[in-house]
């Protein structure tokens, strides 16, 4: 046979594009338009119904960036259309910028009931199916003029309403009533399914050529000047090839509707409220026509928004859940970043997410669903298990730059040894269209075929305001349920997939141990420093507030624990964990509001804490310690000793001259010394020596606290990425504008160093306090650089094979070498309050109060091999926020010589939980633990408002610990609970913890 394949394919492509697809809407009549342009922020529909509308014509411009316009659409269905499917088809000016990154709309009926979203790939609303003919049409369209922000990562002012300008950016193209020719529409879907499949089949497969010839027969049967009249005949030519069943060995795909909606990113939080409402309206409307639809939806916060702002849609969601069309998934308040949230904060993500789904929808979610976060902490498996979660899903590691993950279905093992059954959809997207190319990729790419694994999951639907799954996707799923040459596609609940996959493959599935490090987006540990600082401080402020509020509630019967306020504040912080807010990858508007929000949170939490402390009573000046570890620190002009989780009266503390600090001048250098350390600051303002007096050894092998400025030009994803090539050039900031001794004892000594570089200025106080084993560097920066990254380097005289970084409820080890591609890819790493490097018998930790990005390298020097630890302090990318991090910053980091893991844990907490002065007199700790490896993470009252005290603690050093918790109040009952405070069994408050084990105890006061 002659090979005319290309000719047939070209013939098909032209026929479909020029004749068949345009014939889907056979007839059209325009709707009459009138408009009201909202003068400010969006308004509820009730207000829009009362507004004054002016005539508006299709083709007119509308929409300043971020503005809202309401359009009335009126008309009448022509009488001759009776018996046919009639739809309103609306195009407010859609562009080629993607389905969720431009104008969007929500249609309401004349009384203000929301009906359906309008999106580039989902423009219709059914008016009559079938229409009666002559019925009036009265619709209201809320249209959002959201601008497209990302264009090649070029700087743009469009990312903030304050800078976006007032030029209109859309032109309303059309609003029509139209007849959908359902036979032609189905013909298009038949052809798309077969054509997409054909192009994925090998050239030597007979099935490919059978499809080609069937499509050729279709073309022969179709009159291109009478597509409607010959569509049925043309479809008949495809009946045979569409009816061929899939092979018994075909890969099985569990397809679930999905709409990944970023809670903020290239739009502000307020717009996500509307994006969720539009998509959720679409999905609930779609379920009426496609009863097989299953829509998997995460993020309890978005449900809560819709419940508050769109009660009609909320009621439809509840019905869809009952009917099985809607599957709440994810178990979290938002799809959070999974590297930087603190331990208790990440636990609260799960607690609040699961509680919302259970209380509002009656669903006990069983999976973590994080398809798009930028790496995943090894604390997750244990947290999941403690919350009753069985499964974990992501696909983000398919984005790795260097290494391909070896598994798609496997057991993920956390730092404590807990395992959770995990799936990476091999389709490598969470926005599938059920295109033949995607399904073929899922089958070919699936790493675990050949054993018992035969299935994978495909989330399908347009995300980020694109409207979710469409009727076309569901029609494709029907045709692909069993089709020769294609994977079998079954629309079903994610839980059905996970249960089946675990049953068939669980006993044989491989194990991946440790963190799931994303080899991309490493700069998200640093970008938008004030957002990260706001998060860190808010998390610790809430931790402290809960401790003193609980102490007050137990000790003072007249004190009312602020349940509602704490719940609201926690949810605000949890919202800002979202994986484009905390990582710093959102537009300027989002981060401007985040800074304002964190300031409000901290102010309100401080008020709650102050009220609780006042309720503890009076008794003279005292110092309160929210850390679980005892501390000896300078407060004002006094050296104080205070127990963990309690308070000491200042009058009861003792000072010792042995702990005093001495400062002296040595040529051009300053020497600061206490009983533990001798610190030399040279004439350049650098640490030329840090000597550990107890160990009698030098800590540094080069100038310490060396600020290094690098060019920072990633290949793409400016806010997200720091690429390896940045290291090849840097400037050491050694020029000094001023150097002065600003404190010289006896309780503290400090040297202030001021430097200017570029357009920026940095002032640092290098401080050594009495009785302290750490050197603090208090830093003030006026940062005015462009596309630079600032690092602080500490070259340490340690031969360290690995670094140890704090994560949630423990720590992880990472090699300091780059022997393998996996090691080399970790050139930027995340740590929480501390990072430690060590050789046998000695270690040094670097602490911080708001920094997450670090790098650790091996450093040869004259006497051997050292290890350099660097903190990544600030960046200055231009996209999506063109002024990222510009302005003033204040933060502290510290060097802790001679530190084992226990010291690092305690001092990291101390740096992040400053002592508090109060007029309470001594405060007995509410709880005590008698083993130093057991760290109390939180003390609070139970969420059920029973008055029970909940204590969460964990083993923090990586070993075993036998411990007893001693309450500072009478207890009538103690129980071990799950993460959600649900009792598991009675406890006598003595326990043995395995490495990194988390334990939640519930105590009932007498």
């Amino acid at each position: 046979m002659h090979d005319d394949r290309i000719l047939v394919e070209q013939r098909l492509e032209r026929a479909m594009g020029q004749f068949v697809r345009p014939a889907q809407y056979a007839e059209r009549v325009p709707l009459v338009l009138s408009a009201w342009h909202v003068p400010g922020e969006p308004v509820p529909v009730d207000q829009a119904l009362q507004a004054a509308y002016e005539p508006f014509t299709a083709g007119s411009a509308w929409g300043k960036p971020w503005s809202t316009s309401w359009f009335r659409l009126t008309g009448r269905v022509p009488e001759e259309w009776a018996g046919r499917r009639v739809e309103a088809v609306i195009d407010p000016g859609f562009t080629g910028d993607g389905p969720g990154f431009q104008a969007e709309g929500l249609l309401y009926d004349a009384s203000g009931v929301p009906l359906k979203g309008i999106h580039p790939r989902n423009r219709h609303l059914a008016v009559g199916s079938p229409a009666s003919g002559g019925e009036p049409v009265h619709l209201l369209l809320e249209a959002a003029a959201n601008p497209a922000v990302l264009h090649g990562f070029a700087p743009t002012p469009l990312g903030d309403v304050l800078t976006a300008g007032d030029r209109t950016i859309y032109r309303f193209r059309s609003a029509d009533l139209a007849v959908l020719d359902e036979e032609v529409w189905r013909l298009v879907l038949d052809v798309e399914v077969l054509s997409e499949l054909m192009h994925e089949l090998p050239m030597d497969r007979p099935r490919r050529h059978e499809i080609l010839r069937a499509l050729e027969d279709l073309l022969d049967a179709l009159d291109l000047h009478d597509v409607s009249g010959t569509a049925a005949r043309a479809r008949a030519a495809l009946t045979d090839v569409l009816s061929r069943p899939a092979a018994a060995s075909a890969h099985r795909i569990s397809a679930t509707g999905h709409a990944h909606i970023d809670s903020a990113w290239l739009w502000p939080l307020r717009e996500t409220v509307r994006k969720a409402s539009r998509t959720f309206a679409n999905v609930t409307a779609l379920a009426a026509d496609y009863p097989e639809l299953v829509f998997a939806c995460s993020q309890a916060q978005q449900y809560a928004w819709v419940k508050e702002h769109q009660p009609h849609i909320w009621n439809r969601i509840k019905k869809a859940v009952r009917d099985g069309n809607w599957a709440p998934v994810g178990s979290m308040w938002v799809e959070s970043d999974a590297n930087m949230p603190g331990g208790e904060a990440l636990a609260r993500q799960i607690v609040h997410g699961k509680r919302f789904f259970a209380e509002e929808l009656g669903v006990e979610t069983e999976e973590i669903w994080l398809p798009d976060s930028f790496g995943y902490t090894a604390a997750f498996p244990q947290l999941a298990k403690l919350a009753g979660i069985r499964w974990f899903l992501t696909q983000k590691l398919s984005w790795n730059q260097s290494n391909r993950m070896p598994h798609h279905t496997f057991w993920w093992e956390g730092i404590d040894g807990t395992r959770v059954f995990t799936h990476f959809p091999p389709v490598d997207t969470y926005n599938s269209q059920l295109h033949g190319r995607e399904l073929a990729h899922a089958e070919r790419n699936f790493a675990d075929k050949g054993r018992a694994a035969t299935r994978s999951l495909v989330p399908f639907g347009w995300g980020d305001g694109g409207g979710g799954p469409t009727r076309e996707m569901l029609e494709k799923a029907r045709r692909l349920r069993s089709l020769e040459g294609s994977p079998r596609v079954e629309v079903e609940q994610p839980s059905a997939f996970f249960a089946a996959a675990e049953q068939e493959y669980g006993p044989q599935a491989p194990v991946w141990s440790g963190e799931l490090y994303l080899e991309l987006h490493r700069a998200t540990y640093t970008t938008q420093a004030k957002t990260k600082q706001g998060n860190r401080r808010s998390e610790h402020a809430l931790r402290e507030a809960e401790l003193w509020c609980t102490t007050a509630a137990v000790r003072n019967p007249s004190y009312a624990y602020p349940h509602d306020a704490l719940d609201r504040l926690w949810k605000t912080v949890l919202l800002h964990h979202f994986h484009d807010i905390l990582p710093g990858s959102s537009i300027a508007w989002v981060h401007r509001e985040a800074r304002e929000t964190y300031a409000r949170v901290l102010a309100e939490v401080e008020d709650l804490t102050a009220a609780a402390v006042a309720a503890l009573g009076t008794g003279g000046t005292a110092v309160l310690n929210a850390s679980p570890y005892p501390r000896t620190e300078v407060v004002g002009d006094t050296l104080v000793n205070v127990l963990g989780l309690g308070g000491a009266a200042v009058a009861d503390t003792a000072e010792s001259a042995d702990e005093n600090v001495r400062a002296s001048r040595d040529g051009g250098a300053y020497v600061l010394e206490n009983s533990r350390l001798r610190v030399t600051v040279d004439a350049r303002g650098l640490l030329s020596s840090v000597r550990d007096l107890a160990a009698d050894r030098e800590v540094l092998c080069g100038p310490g606290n060396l600020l290094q400025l690098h060019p920072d030009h990633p290949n793409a994803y400016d806010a997200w990425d720091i690429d390896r090539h940045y290291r090849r050039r840097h400037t050491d900031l050694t020029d000094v504008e001023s150097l002065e001794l600003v404190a010289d004892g006896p309780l503290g000594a400090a040297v202030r160093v001021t430097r200017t570089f570029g357009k920026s200025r940095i002032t640092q106080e290098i401080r050594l306090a009495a009785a302290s084993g750490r050197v603090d560097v208090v830093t003030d920066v006026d940062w005015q650089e462009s596309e630079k990254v600032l690092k602080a380097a500490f070259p340490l005289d340690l031969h360290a094979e690995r670094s140890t970084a704090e994560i949630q409820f423990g720590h992880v080890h990472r090699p300091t070498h780059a022997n393998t591609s996996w090691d080399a890819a970790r050139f930027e790493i995340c740590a929480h309050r501390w990072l430690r490097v060590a050789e046998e018998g000695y270690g040094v930790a670097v602490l911080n109060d708001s920094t997450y990005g670090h790098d650790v390298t091996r450093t040869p020097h004259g006497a051997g091999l050292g290890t350099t630890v660097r903190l990544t302090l600030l960046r200055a990318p231009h996209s999506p926020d063109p002024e990222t991090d510009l302005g003033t910053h204040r933060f502290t980091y510290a060097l802790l010589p001679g530190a084992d893991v226990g010291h690092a844990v305690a001092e990291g907490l101390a740096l992040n939980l400053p002592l508090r002065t109060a007029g309470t007199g001594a405060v007995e700790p509410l709880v005590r633990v008698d083993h130093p490896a057991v760290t109390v993470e939180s003390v609070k009252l139970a969420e059920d408002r029973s008055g029970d005290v909940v204590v969460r603690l964990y083993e923090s050093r990586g070993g075993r610990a036998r411990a007893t918790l001693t309450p500072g109040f009478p207890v009538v009952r103690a129980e071990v609970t799950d993460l959600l405070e649900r009792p598991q069994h009675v406890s006598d408050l003595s326990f043995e913890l395995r490495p990194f084990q988390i334990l939640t105890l519930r105590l009932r006061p007498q």
Side-chain angles (χ1 to χ4, degrees):
M1 178 181 289
H2 297 297
D3 185 3
D4 61 351
R5 174 178 54 86
I6 299 299
L7 294 174
V8 176
E9 292 174 1
Q10 290 174 341
R11 180 187 174 198
L12 178 68
E13 182 178 1
R14 181 177 183 189
M16 295 299 294
Q18 186 173 343
F19 297 98
V20 181
R21 288 194 177 91
Q24 293 178 93
Y25 284 109
E27 301 175 58
R28 292 175 180 259
V29 296
L31 290 163
V32 177
L33 296 172
S34 58
W36 173 56
H37 304 294
V38 181
E41 282 292 281
V43 300
V45 66
D46 291 346
Q47 188 172 338
L49 288 169
Q50 302 303 316
Y53 287 73
E54 297 180 352
F56 187 88
T57 58
S60 299
W62 71 280
K64 296 182 296 184
W66 304 113
S67 68
T68 299
S69 293
W70 288 81
F71 296 94
R72 289 193 187 276
L73 293 72
T74 60
R76 186 175 297 277
V77 176
E79 297 286 352
E80 61 270 24
W81 289 3
R84 305 167 77 182
R85 182 178 178 92
V86 177
E87 298 181 343
V89 182
I90 300 165
D91 182 352
F94 293 129
T95 68
D97 293 305
F101 305 91
Q102 54 173 293
E104 301 173 45
L106 180 60
L107 281 170
Y108 295 78
D109 69 14
S111 65
V113 175
L115 301 173
K116 183 180 174 294
I118 295 297
H119 311 272
R121 313 293 173 87
N122 200 336
R123 306 180 182 192
H124 67 276
L125 172 74
V127 172
S129 182
S132 301
E135 55 262 54
V137 175
H138 296 283
L139 298 172
L140 193 61
L141 174 68
E142 180 194 27
N146 299 334
V149 175
L150 280 188
H151 291 287
F153 304 102
T156 174
L158 289 172
D160 194 331
V161 70
L162 300 181
T163 59
D166 57 5
R167 180 180 63 85
T168 55
I169 57 176
Y170 291 105
R171 190 167 296 278
F172 202 109
R173 193 164 290 118
S174 61
D176 299 328
L177 292 178
V179 175
L180 178 67
D181 190 320
E182 296 181 86
E183 194 69 19
V184 176
W185 178 69
R186 293 189 178 96
L187 172 63
V188 170
L189 291 161
D190 292 345
V191 172
E192 286 182 353
V193 166
L194 288 170
S195 179
E196 291 165 9
L197 172 59
M198 177 183 69
H199 284 289
E200 297 304 318
L201 294 173
M203 288 298 301
D204 59 357
R205 288 278 295 276
R207 175 65 167 164
R208 175 167 184 149
H209 297 277
E210 291 170 359
I211 294 173
L212 179 72
R213 296 309 161 192
L215 291 171
E216 187 176 32
D217 292 343
L218 170 147
L219 291 169
D220 293 340
L222 191 64
D223 183 344
L224 297 183
H225 288 273
D226 185 16
V227 173
S228 179
T230 56
R233 185 174 67 198
R235 289 190 72 204
L238 303 180
T239 301
D240 182 55
V241 288
L242 279 171
S243 63
R244 302 276 184 89
S249 61
H251 184 66
R252 288 178 287 176
I253 282 176
S254 296
T256 186
H258 190 237
H260 175 75
I261 303 176
D262 288 307
S263 289
W265 180 29
L266 303 179
W267 47 85
L269 287 167
R270 64 89 156 152
E271 191 57 32
T272 312
V273 178
R274 301 200 295 177
K275 282 179 178 282
S277 298
R278 299 174 194 124
T279 293
F280 294 177
N282 283 359
V283 172
T284 52
L286 190 62
D289 293 328
Y290 293 88
E292 74 269 29
L293 171 65
V294 174
F295 179 68
C297 186
S298 63
Q299 305 198 81
Q301 171 68 86
Q302 293 183 9
Y303 289 75
W305 280 332
V306 172
K307 179 185 177 185
E308 177 184 357
H309 295 280
Q310 294 285 4
H312 289 95
I313 300 174
W314 173 246
N315 288 331
R316 286 154 55 180
I317 290 171
K318 291 194 291 184
K319 179 180 185 302
V321 171
R322 292 193 301 270
D323 293 345
N325 299 118
W326 191 293
V329 296
S331 307
M332 298 175 71
W333 190 247
V334 296
E335 289 186 12
S336 76
D337 176 77
N339 290 307
M340 292 174 284
E344 184 61 23
L346 193 58
R348 299 295 176 94
Q349 277 286 351
I350 298 172
V351 166
H352 283 287
K354 282 189 66 81
R355 180 171 289 118
F356 181 93
F357 291 132
E359 293 178 355
E360 297 289 346
L361 297 171
V363 174
E364 181 78 16
T365 53
E366 294 186 290
E367 66 290 296
I368 298 290
W369 186 280
L370 290 175
D372 195 37
S373 299
F374 310 146
Y376 304 89
T377 172
F380 252 133
Q382 182 180 192
L383 288 170
K385 184 176 181 180
L386 289 172
I389 292 167
R390 300 170 58 188
W391 307 306
F392 184 93
L393 178 139
T394 184
Q395 64 82 50
K396 196 64 176 184
L397 270 69
S398 67
W399 288 43
N400 274 3
Q401 285 180 320
S402 303
N403 298 285
R404 183 179 187 268
M405 288 294 291
H407 320 298
H408 284 105
T409 303
F410 59 98
W411 291 98
W412 179 21
E413 182 179 276
I415 53 172
D416 72 311
T418 299
R419 294 177 178 180
V420 60
F421 193 70
T422 298
H423 182 64
F424 294 174
V427 71
D428 289 345
T429 181
Y430 44 78
N431 294 318
S432 171
Q433 303 168 51
L434 298 182
H435 192 286
R437 179 179 61 254
E438 296 169 333
L439 303 181
H441 175 75
E443 183 173 37
R444 287 192 294 262
N445 189 43
F446 187 46
D448 303 289
K449 50 182 174 280
R451 290 288 181 182
T454 65
R455 67 185 72 230
S456 67
L457 187 141
V458 171
F460 67 92
W462 299 110
D464 282 332
T470 66
R471 59 185 178 181
E472 288 78 13
M473 295 173 190
L474 286 161
E475 287 288 340
K476 285 188 173 184
R478 287 177 173 179
R479 289 158 174 79
L480 292 163
R481 189 173 186 187
S482 179
L483 181 63
E484 183 185 355
S486 170
R488 296 175 181 267
V489 175
E490 188 73 35
V491 177
E492 62 182 352
Q493 299 262 349
S495 59
F497 160 76
F498 273 111
E502 184 177 358
Q503 182 178 19
E504 73 177 11
Y505 191 45
Q508 302 180 54
V511 176
W512 179 272
S513 182
E515 67 180 330
L516 294 172
Y517 177 90
L518 178 64
E519 295 174 358
L520 195 70
H521 295 355
R522 303 168 181 89
T524 57
Y525 313 146
T526 303
T527 305
Q528 297 287 358
K530 286 187 177 178
T531 297
K532 291 169 172 58
Q533 185 174 74
N535 173 71
R536 178 78 70 85
R537 292 184 178 172
S538 295
E539 289 180 353
H540 285 78
L542 282 163
R543 173 195 189 118
E544 182 179 12
E546 287 184 333
L547 170 66
W548 302 129
C549 289
T550 303
T551 305
V554 170
R555 301 264 171 82
N556 183 347
S558 65
Y559 174 78
Y561 188 87
H563 282 284
D564 291 336
L566 287 169
D567 181 80
R568 173 174 45 78
L569 290 162
W570 262 117
K571 286 174 179 173
T572 300
V573 173
L574 298 182
L575 167 59
H576 287 77
H577 283 166
F578 181 74
H579 65 255
D580 280 307
I581 303 180
L582 181 53
S585 48
S586 288
I587 56 174
W589 190 350
V590 172
H591 291 289
R592 172 172 58 82
E593 289 191 332
R595 294 189 293 271
E596 296 165 356
T597 298
Y598 283 128
R600 289 194 299 271
V601 166
L602 288 166
E604 187 171 353
V605 173
E606 177 59 29
D607 288 345
L608 294 178
T609 303
V613 169
L616 294 176
T618 57
T621 302
V623 173
L624 305 184
N625 176 18
S627 165
Y629 292 101
R631 291 155 72 173
T632 300
E633 291 185 18
V634 175
V635 177
D637 58 358
T638 307
L639 185 66
V640 300
N641 300 294
V642 57
L643 293 172
L645 308 179
V650 172
D652 296 338
T653 63
E655 296 184 25
S656 169
D658 294 338
E659 299 289 357
N660 287 351
V661 183
R662 295 167 293 283
S664 61
R665 189 75 182 258
D666 183 5
Y670 292 101
V671 179
L672 315 178
E673 183 175 350
N674 64 12
S675 62
R676 304 184 186 190
L677 300 176
R678 182 186 303 123
V679 179
T680 302
V681 183
D682 69 15
R684 300 172 299 171
L686 303 176
L687 299 178
S688 59
S689 172
V690 175
R691 189 157 193 88
D692 185 334
L693 300 177
D696 192 24
R697 64 179 286 170
E698 175 60 43
V699 173
L700 302 175
C701 62
N705 192 39
L706 175 62
L707 297 175
Q708 297 180 309
L709 191 67
H710 295 260
D712 185 14
H713 300 282
N715 292 350
Y717 298 108
D718 292 30
W720 295 259
D721 284 359
I722 185 167
D723 287 347
R724 194 192 317 265
H725 60 253
Y726 89 92
R727 289 187 176 182
R728 295 175 189 158
R729 288 177 52 203
H730 74 272
T731 300
D732 291 340
L733 303 182
T734 57
D735 292 343
V736 176
E737 181 180 281
S738 66
L739 179 69
E740 57 182 325
L741 184 70
V742 294
D744 59 359
L747 294 180
V751 174
R752 180 181 297 149
V753 186
T754 301
R755 310 180 193 276
T756 56
F757 55 94
K759 298 179 180 180
S760 301
R761 180 183 184 90
I762 185 166
T763 299
Q764 295 189 302
E765 285 194 9
I766 300 169
R767 297 178 178 176
L768 181 66
S772 176
R774 75 183 198 227
V775 182
D776 289 355
V777 183
V778 180
T779 303
D780 290 280
V781 188
D782 183 3
W783 178 247
Q784 299 296 337
E785 299 307 296
S786 171
E787 297 180 309
K788 301 287 195 302
V789 59
L790 181 66
K791 296 253 184 179
F794 290 91
L796 305 173
D797 192 10
L798 289 166
H799 185 155
E801 292 294 323
R802 63 187 187 182
S803 66
T804 303
E806 185 186 40
I807 65 168
Q808 301 87 348
F809 298 105
H811 54 261
V812 293
H813 304 296
R814 303 180 180 105
T816 59
H817 58 69
N819 284 1
T820 71
S821 58
W822 297 88
D823 302 327
R826 288 174 166 85
F827 60 82
E828 185 82 2
I829 56 177
C830 184
H832 282 207
R833 292 170 293 225
W834 56 267
L835 185 146
R836 176 179 179 267
V837 292
E839 61 190 25
E840 180 61 33
Y842 192 80
V844 176
V846 176
L847 316 173
N848 72 83
D849 73 351
S850 56
T851 299
Y852 296 91
H854 298 74
D855 69 73
V856 183
T857 53
R858 296 155 83 88
T859 311
H861 58 94
L865 183 67
T867 305
T868 296
V869 176
R870 297 198 303 171
L871 300 97
T872 312
L873 302 177
L874 292 167
R875 298 184 70 235
H878 291 166
S879 176
D881 178 358
E883 297 186 351
T884 301
D885 280 331
L886 297 185
T888 58
H889 301 263
R890 182 177 177 86
F891 48 82
T892 299
Y893 51 90
L895 187 70
L896 183 66
D900 60 20
V901 169
H903 293 133
V905 170
E907 289 296 325
L909 282 162
L911 183 61
N912 283 269
L913 289 166
L915 295 174
R916 173 181 294 271
T917 302
T920 60
V923 177
E924 183 72 12
L926 197 64
V927 295
R928 302 174 191 241
V929 181
D930 63 0
H931 196 296
V934 178
T935 300
V936 175
E937 180 72 3
S938 67
V939 179
K940 60 188 289 291
L941 287 193
E943 295 290 329
D944 63 7
R945 309 193 180 200
S946 62
D948 290 356
V949 175
V950 173
V951 181
R952 189 149 27 245
L953 44 80
Y954 69 103
E955 196 290 315
S956 61
R957 299 187 183 182
R960 306 289 179 102
R962 284 195 180 95
T964 299
L965 182 137
T966 303
F969 57 95
V971 172
V972 297
R973 183 178 178 85
E975 297 167 307
V976 172
T977 76
D978 68 1
L979 204 66
L980 278 75
E981 305 171 6
R982 297 176 294 202
Q984 305 293 296
H985 57 81
V986 174
S987 171
D988 64 0
L989 299 183
S990 293
F991 45 85
E992 180 174 356
L993 299 183
R994 301 175 67 85
F996 304 122
Q997 182 179 347
I998 302 167
L999 183 67
T1000 304
L1001 297 167
R1002 182 171 180 141
L1003 315 177
R1004 177 155 298 171
Q1006 188 171 23

